Amino acid sequence: MRIKSAPTIAAATLLAATAAGAQVRTGAAALGDWRGDAPGVVRRIGVADMPASPTPPTASPAGVVARPRGAAPKVPPGFTVAAFAELDAPRQIRVAPNGDIFVAETDAGRITVLRAAPGAARPSAKGAFATGLDRPFGIAFYPAGPDPRWVYVANNNSVVRFAYKGGDLEARGAPQTVVAKLANSTGGHSTRDIAFSPDGKVMYVSVGSGSNIAEDMAKKPLAEAKAWDAAKGATGAAWGREEDRADVLAFDPEGGGRRIFATGIRNCVTLAVNPTTSAPWCAVNERDSLGDDLPPDYVTHVRAKGFYGWPWYYIGDHADPRLKGQRPDLAGKAIVPDVLIQPHSAPLGMVFYAPTRGPAAFPTAWRGDAFVALHGSWNRAKRTGYKVVRLPMRGGAATGAYEDFLTGFVIDAKSVWGRPVGVAEARDGALLVTDDGSGTVWRIAPAPASGKGR
């Protein structure tokens, strides 16, 4: 059966979309490790580059150490990077229409607000917007436009909202529950993200799996599995403790109209709506224990009623050998993602860089591109990730390549000092990156002498 694949961009367009003179690493070279990372390095991983069979898994967790004296992230020529703020393991980051910066300090159960004037190197004000939350991660403002009335927060197993007026550094009252329960279980992947469709009618919520490959999900006879899909209105819907997990759910803004939007997405950590196409996108952590180079993580646009494979298939029609034969009816139905990332890189944060005229605006040619934070591997012998990459986009479609943008967090094969998580565009055009390893929010902007409109 034919595998549904994502749209591709011609090779000439791909090369034009990457840094001038950059070498595009493909095949085995694209599956390297941190030693080959540097701003401007471009990779393109194709389905054909994946190993034909698994290899023994490796556990290689990084030791996170204090930032060495003088150490700093690396950025491309023409850019500067500096510490903007220090927080308690900052995770997701979103910018309000008035420019205030909302950061989820997940472990602390807190949403913090930072305020800075355009072009400022440090915040001028800080507030604890909300506390006492259950592992908050996703943050969204509603409705769209300059004057949102609500701040929505995705907790570990619920969605709440706070009454809001632009400029608030503290919530105006107790949270209102919008979705009381997202799934039948907690544990496993705990991050939940939230985003609204441009017309404000749909609230997307991502829910990661509770396990690696649904080890605790009881087997169903094929007829029962098909009947379950029909009842859920979704292809490849999980059940048991995994019910309503490894998917993107959809609601109306009041929490009604609940449905499964897409299935088989093991852990969509960040949801981002593409401003060009209005489609939701996911930055996804794929499964473990198939070896160093299987399967790739990925970033992709998410189709309504789309099925992305988990747990039975990965990256299109590749059957997980541990579950082979359990769902033959789903063969050929898994969608191939838009951009494949080095396996076990752990994509977390994502933002589409929108056109801006701020004092820290990026080059014109980069506007509309996506930036993705790779938190870094823990189960790959050759460490990968620990950086922010740029995904060139053309007309809202990915080229399939990605380019190293922010690197330098790895010390050696055993130690790192930083782990990027969230990415956001500040109102002045700077790129903000949270790093829960060093507890820092980094600010990247064009160097003063680089000029504008390049």
Side-chain angles (χ1 to χ4, degrees), residues 269-288:
V269 180
T270 288
L271 276 167
V273 173
N274 187 324
T276 302
T277 65
S278 299
W281 282 61
C282 277
V284 179
N285 293 187
E286 250 293 353
R287 69 203 70 198
D288 301 320

Side-chain angles (χ1 to χ4, degrees), residues 50 189 209 211-213 246 263-269 283-291 293-299 307-316 318 320 322 334-335 337 339-348 378-379:
M50 297 192 304
H189 298 115
S209 71
S211 62
N212 185 30
I213 53 166
T263 53
I265 304 174
R266 180 174 176 268
N267 188 23
C268 172
V269 180
V284 179
N285 293 187
E286 250 293 353
R287 69 203 70 198
D288 301 320
S289 301
L290 292 179
D293 294 327
L294 277 179
D297 291 327
Y298 62 86
V299 178
F307 171 60
Y308 291 81
W310 188 90
W312 302 281
Y313 297 87
Y314 60 86
I315 315 299
H318 293 82
D320 192 305
R322 298 162 293 187
I335 298 169
V339 184
L340 304 186
I341 306 290
Q342 286 167 295
H344 311 300
S345 293
L348 298 191
W378 64 267
N379 54 354

Side-chain angles (χ1 to χ4, degrees), residues 94 137-142 148 150-154 193-196 203:
R94 297 273 157 77
F137 188 79
I139 305 167
F141 305 94
Y142 185 85
W150 301 99
V151 176
Y152 281 68
V153 176
D193 204 11
I194 184 170
F196 289 95
M203 178 175 71

Side-chain angles (χ1 to χ4, degrees), residues 410-421:
V410 182
I411 297 174
D412 53 34
K414 295 183 178 180
S415 303
V416 303
W417 62 265
R419 304 192 74 180
V421 179

